[in-house]
Amino acid sequence: MILELDCGNSFIKWRVLDMGADVVVAHGASASAVALLEEFSCPVGVNVSRARLVSVRGDRETDEICICLSEALGIEVERASPAVQLGGVINGYVDHGRLGMDRWLAMVGAFQFRRSAMMVIDLGTAVTVDLVDPQGMHLGGYICPGVSLLRHQLHTHTRRISYSLPEGDASQCATAPGRTTAEAVERGCILMLHGFLSSQILQAEAYLGASFDIYATGGDAAFISDIPRIKCIPDLVFRGLAIACP
């Protein structure tokens, strides 16, 4: 079995994949490698023989995560590296090594579905949008703050905006004008996200034509599941990771 890890800005998302049955037997999200080991602690019947990892964190922090896991589990941790081309996708950045690895692997994973023109949206701490033409050429993309960052900025820089997390969670369920601060902030942030992505889809037609696939992944993908044409694929980055580290 293989331990797969996606080290994002906020959490380390992980899962254990049974390669023989192509089944996920365990998964989670942890704040650190130490917390991951405490939560993971090898479920009964799970024998992990190796690990593969993708990270958007600094080299030093990523190295520490790899060493921590390798020493604790006694396994090799293979790390995905930037590439000019992978899985039929050509890296479109001027300096290919500067493209975020999560964005890169999400594109590679998504391209395997139909190998056609596509938009790939990753909704995490930041929201990223990337365009790929039918030949697999990455045309570039966009980065903007995610819902959590928008919310944090309002909490941090606006004196009288404050509410509890349960209030915020309950306020996300509708788009009617908010009648409390929590409702106004949560719904405003989600509508801002909707507006940004809807404009991106319209704009993409100038680069990809009228017919292209739209894939979304990341922790906040549920916020946009009601936008037409979008296919939410939770494991796009892991799919790309399997190609980068077969």
Side-chain angles (χ1 to χ4, degrees):
M1 296 186 186
I2 296 180
L3 172 62
E4 298 182 317
L5 305 110
D6 174 8
C7 303
N9 291 299
S10 301
F11 294 99
I12 300 174
K13 296 174 284 292
W14 59 270
R15 71 180 190 179
V16 178
L17 186 66
D18 183 339
M19 293 299 293
D22 193 25
V23 172
V24 176
V25 297
H27 63 90
S30 308
S32 67
V34 173
L36 185 155
L37 289 170
E38 291 176 353
E39 295 165 14
F40 174 59
S41 61
C42 290
V44 176
V46 173
N47 182 22
V48 174
S49 58
R50 59 182 288 251
R52 53 192 177 205
L53 171 150
V54 57
S55 177
V56 299
R57 303 186 181 194
D59 289 338
R60 181 175 178 178
E61 186 177 0
T62 302
D63 289 342
E64 290 173 352
I65 292 172
C66 290
I67 292 170
C68 178
L69 292 171
S70 182
E71 290 179 349
L73 301 176
I75 57 176
E76 175 190 357
V77 180
E78 188 175 1
R79 179 177 170 182
S81 301
V84 174
Q85 184 170 347
L86 180 67
V89 182
I90 302 168
N91 193 315
Y93 256 32
V94 175
D95 177 356
H96 76 274
R98 298 288 293 175
L99 176 62
M101 286 300 298
D102 51 349
R103 292 170 62 192
W104 174 236
L105 294 186
M107 284 186 276
V108 170
F111 196 65
Q112 310 313 308
F113 286 112
R114 292 210 318 146
R115 292 185 173 250
S116 58
M118 64 181 190
M119 169 186 284
V120 180
I121 306 165
D122 195 340
L123 298 103
T125 303
V127 174
T128 63
V129 177
D130 286 285
L131 306 180
V132 178
D133 73 13
Q135 289 72 47
M137 184 68 211
H138 173 221
L139 304 180
Y142 305 89
I143 304 173
C144 74
V147 170
S148 62
L149 276 181
L150 292 172
R151 182 191 299 124
H152 176 72
Q153 288 299 305
L154 286 169
H155 275 265
T156 303
H157 297 289
T158 308
R159 293 181 184 275
R160 296 181 65 86
I161 288 184
S162 179
Y163 54 87
S164 66
L165 288 177
E167 281 184 276
D169 292 340
S171 300
Q172 296 168 359
C173 303
T175 55
R179 294 169 61 88
T180 67
T181 298
E183 289 178 352
V185 170
E186 295 296 327
R187 296 174 188 180
C189 289
I190 292 172
L191 285 173
M192 183 174 284
L193 177 64
H194 273 232
F196 170 71
L197 293 177
S198 295
S199 68
Q200 287 296 305
I201 293 170
L202 289 174
Q203 179 177 288
E205 294 184 5
Y207 301 96
L208 301 176
S211 178
F212 58 92
D213 296 317
I214 307 173
Y215 300 101
T217 195
D220 286 344
F223 289 148
I224 64 165
S225 59
D226 58 333
I227 297 179
R229 297 176 56 188
I230 292 181
K231 304 179 184 73
C232 293
I233 313 290
D235 64 346
L236 275 187
V237 175
F238 284 134
R239 288 173 181 265
L241 178 61
I243 295 171
C245 303

